[in-house]
């Protein structure tokens, strides 16, 4: 009797596990494509906010390379780089570096750098920073992130590429220093990577297989 | 169920058995995101939606599940439903998801959801269970928003800041600057502010309840008012 009851209960539990898994699998299956499309759309709109559509004439979304640099770009995964060109000449590029040392995990960024090495703009793609404190790095919440615009390795020296608390020139937030510190460092590192690998980063798509050196 | 019993469900959710003020459940998300009104409202709406769906589902299967396995089954269903809501929101309301996205996983840590499944939905028919989920959710949302308002006014001197995130650009007018040139009161925004604020709200509720008890019964009070007139 007891064994029969245990068996019945076990089967029931298993059935509910299947139902639960099926619900998630079904939802995932029906939304995955849409989510990918929405994310791509969102990325394209973000890029257009950084580089005006009139500045380039190539298909930016397919003119890409991916690079790996855990030291400077913050991730062991390949980082996509989108290149903007006009009349075949390089104009700017957009990459997705990661600030690995945010207050609550990695912060994914979108950094646009002009061919001459100036920052065109930075946006936050995703973060888990504290709502109300660290999330002021998002453009929707404050325009702190625009303070990078126009800066480069040549118009600010290495010491100035820090938050004010560390002797640099970028503001921190009240109650949140770690988040802006991580973002400033990531943008600075992206510029370093850019200046070291600029020609390789802009190499035509034909040589896509020979991606810039991985370090 | 009579009208009276539905009335009791509504009053319990909103006041007498309010999840945040009386049951003190779901503190983790409550304290984490109540730093502004808009954040609070976002989590409140997402939690209410989850509560309605989980209560309804649990109520529908309540006669099929034996008591030994009910807790793992409820946990599994709640996790599945929250995940499905997150995926569906990401796909169909992408903009809203970008704002509320970080709150959705927090809902799984809200023990209030499991508490309602166990204490109410597993013993009641689908309609009252759905109603219970809805009003427990609204009660939770109300406390979240009140706490969010307290912390936002004290901490930043504003109300409804970033309303455009939830309601679109047309809602920028909603942001109220209560104190101009205010330098902020960090304690209110940080976690201690959440604990102190919630403590004050619970105290306020107890004071109101004590006053009500001290007063003569409401019917005789109304009668007295009539005779005066």
């Amino acid at each position: 009797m007891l064994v029969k009851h245990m068996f019945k209960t076990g089967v029931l539990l298993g059935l509910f596990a299947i139902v639960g898994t099926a619900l998630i699998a079904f939802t995932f299956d029906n939304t995955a494509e849409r989510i990918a499309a929405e994310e791509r759309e969102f990325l394209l709109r973000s890029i257009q906010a950084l580089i005006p559509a009139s500045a380039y004439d190539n298909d930016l979304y397919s003119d890409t390379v991916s690079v790996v640099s855990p030291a400077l770009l913050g991730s062991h995964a390949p980082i996509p780089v989108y290149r903007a060109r006009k009349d075949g000449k390089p104009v700017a590029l957009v990459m997705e570096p990661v600030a690995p040392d945010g207050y609550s995990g990695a912060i994914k960024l979108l950094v646009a750098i002009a061919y001459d090495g100036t920052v065109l703009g930075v946006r936050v793609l995703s973060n888990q920073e504290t709502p109300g404190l660290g999330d002021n790095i998002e453009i929707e919440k404050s325009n702190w992130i625009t303070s990078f615009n126009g800066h480069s390795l040549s118009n600010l020296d290495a010491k100035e590429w820090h938050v004010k608390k560390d002797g640099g020139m970028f503001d921190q937030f009240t109650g949140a220093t770690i988040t802006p510190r991580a973002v400033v460092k990531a943008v600075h590192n992206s510029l370093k990577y850019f200046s070291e690998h600029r020609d390789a980063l802009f190499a035509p798509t034909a040589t896509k297989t020979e991606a810039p050196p991985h370090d | 169920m009579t009208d009276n019993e539905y009335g009791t469900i509504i009053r319990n959710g909103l006041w007498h058995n309010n999840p945040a003020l009386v049951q003190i459940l779901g503190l983790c998300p409550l304290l984490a995101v109540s730093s502004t009104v808009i954040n609070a409202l976002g989590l409140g709406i997402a939690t209410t939606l989850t509560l309605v769906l989980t209560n309804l589902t649990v109520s529908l299967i309540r006669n099929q599940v034996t008591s030994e396995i009910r807790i793992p089954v409820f946990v599994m269903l709640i996790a599945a439903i929250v995940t499905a809501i997150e995926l569906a929101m990401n796909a169909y309301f992408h903009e809203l998801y970008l704002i509320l996205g970080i709150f959705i996983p927090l809902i799984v840590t809200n023990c209030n959801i499991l508490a309602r499944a166990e204490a109410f939905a597993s013993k009641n028919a689908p309609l009252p269970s759905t109603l219970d989920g809805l009003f427990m959710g609204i009660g939770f949302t109300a406390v979240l928003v009140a706490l969010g308002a307290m912390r936002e006014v004290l901490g930043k001197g504003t109300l409804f800041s970033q309303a455009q995130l939830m309601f679109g650009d047309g809602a920028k007018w909603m942001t109220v600057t209560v104190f101009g040139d205010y330098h902020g009161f960090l304690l209110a925004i940080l976690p201690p502010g959440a604990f102190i604020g919630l403590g004050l709200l619970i105290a306020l509720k107890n004071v109101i309840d004590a006053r009500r008890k001290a007063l003569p019964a409401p019917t005789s009070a109304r009668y007295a008012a009539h005779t005066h007139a």
Side-chain angles (χ1 to χ4, degrees):
Chain A
M1 190 59 202
L2 182 68
V3 172
K4 202 178 161 199
H5 183 69
M6 278 167 65
F7 183 75
K8 198 186 145 209
T9 314
V11 168
L12 201 60
L13 188 59
L15 276 179
F16 275 108
I18 293 170
V19 170
T21 315
L23 175 70
I24 296 177
F26 177 79
T27 320
F28 178 80
D29 211 42
N30 279 285
T31 53
E33 220 169 277
R34 233 193 121 98
I35 291 174
E38 289 280 354
E39 276 170 357
R40 206 181 66 168
E41 177 77 8
F42 180 75
L43 182 70
L44 272 179
R45 253 182 296 146
S46 311
I47 290 177
Q48 269 155 17
L50 301 177
I51 309 176
S54 58
Y56 61 92
D57 56 10
N58 62 329
D59 177 9
L60 195 137
Y61 199 79
S62 47
D63 191 355
T64 101
V65 282
S66 54
V67 295
V68 179
S69 170
L72 292 179
L73 301 180
S75 169
H76 290 276
I79 302 288
V81 177
Y82 309 92
R83 288 93 56 93
R85 306 171 198 275
K86 186 148 197 171
D87 303 325
K89 287 201 189 91
V91 174
L93 60 75
V94 178
M95 49 185 170
E96 293 181 30
V98 175
D101 39 11
Y103 189 68
S104 319
I107 305 168
K108 283 171 98 178
L109 297 172
L110 195 66
V111 178
I113 305 172
Y115 189 64
D116 66 4
T118 357
V119 175
L120 289 173
V122 182
R123 290 292 182 274
V124 175
L125 285 182
S126 71
N127 76 94
Q128 282 97 42
E129 300 304 294
T130 320
L133 288 174
D135 64 350
N136 280 330
I137 52 173
E138 292 168 21
I139 187 78
E140 292 86 1
K141 313 226 162 151
S142 95
N143 48 22
W144 176 83
I145 201 85
T146 60
S147 59
F148 293 106
N149 295 6
H151 289 304
S152 65
L153 291 181
S154 48
N155 81 358
L156 291 181
D157 61 34
K159 243 181 21 206
E160 286 171 301
W161 275 101
H162 285 102
V163 292
K164 282 181 179 158
K165 208 176 195 170
D166 302 338
M169 68 141 293
F170 295 97
D171 283 324
Q172 58 267 352
F173 308 131
T174 317
T177 309
I178 295 173
T179 309
R181 185 184 281 152
V183 176
V184 171
K185 193 172 139 198
V187 175
H188 188 202
N189 282 340
S190 307
L191 284 175
K192 284 189 208 158
Y193 186 86
F194 178 85
S195 74
E196 284 166 28
H197 302 294
R198 184 172 78 172
D199 293 335
L201 281 170
F202 278 110
T205 323
T207 60
K208 198 174 173 179
T209 42
E210 294 167 40
H214 292 183
D215 42 350
Chain B
M1 282 254 163
T2 62
D3 284 354
N4 195 16
E5 280 166 313
Y6 286 122
T8 307
I9 292 175
I10 294 172
R11 277 194 299 276
N12 274 344
L14 297 182
W15 188 263
H16 297 299
N17 198 19
N18 184 293
L21 293 181
V22 182
Q23 306 176 59
I24 327 269
L25 287 176
L27 283 193
C28 162
L30 180 82
L31 299 175
V33 299
S34 60
S35 56
T36 67
V37 175
I38 293 299
N39 282 349
L41 196 60
L43 180 76
I45 292 170
T47 307
T48 307
L49 181 65
T50 311
L51 262 174
V52 168
L53 288 177
T54 54
N55 261 16
L56 174 65
T57 316
V58 165
S59 171
L60 286 172
I61 59 152
R62 71 187 188 284
N63 296 329
Q64 275 72 53
V65 184
T66 52
S67 63
E68 296 90 344
I69 55 160
R70 66 186 197 287
I71 299 289
V73 167
F74 296 165
V75 169
M76 224 147 41
L77 281 174
I78 291 168
I81 288 172
V82 171
T83 311
I85 289 179
E86 189 181 5
L87 285 170
M89 230 169 124
N90 192 350
Y92 297 99
F93 303 98
H94 195 69
E95 301 279 314
L96 193 65
Y97 174 78
L98 293 175
I99 305 149
L100 292 186
I102 56 158
F103 303 140
I104 311 284
L106 274 177
I107 294 174
V108 183
T109 70
N110 189 338
C111 43
N112 189 32
I113 313 271
L114 184 62
R116 291 331 290 166
E118 166 70 6
F120 196 95
S122 66
K123 295 168 194 146
N124 288 285
L127 185 61
S129 296
T130 309
L131 200 69
D132 178 76
L134 179 64
F135 280 92
M136 283 289 163
I138 293 176
F140 185 70
T141 307
V143 175
L144 257 176
V145 169
L147 191 57
M150 273 169 70
R151 293 177 69 191
E152 192 179 342
V153 167
L154 284 176
K156 296 199 207 171
T158 59
L159 268 181
F160 297 104
S161 65
Q162 299 153 5
Q164 73 275 10
L165 292 187
M166 187 169 289
F167 304 110
D169 275 339
K172 278 201 174 127
W173 58 268
M174 283 177 70
T175 303
V176 184
T177 305
V178 183
F179 311 114
D181 193 30
Y182 185 63
H183 295 292
F185 178 48
L186 193 60
L187 179 75
I189 299 179
L190 293 176
F195 280 104
I196 296 168
L198 183 65
L200 290 174
L201 284 178
I202 294 172
L204 180 69
K205 182 193 177 285
N206 289 343
V207 167
I208 294 174
D209 280 348
R211 287 258 167 91
R212 274 183 160 184
K213 231 180 241 168
L215 283 176
T219 42
S220 57
R222 209 179 298 145
Y223 188 68
H226 269 290
T227 48
H228 259 290

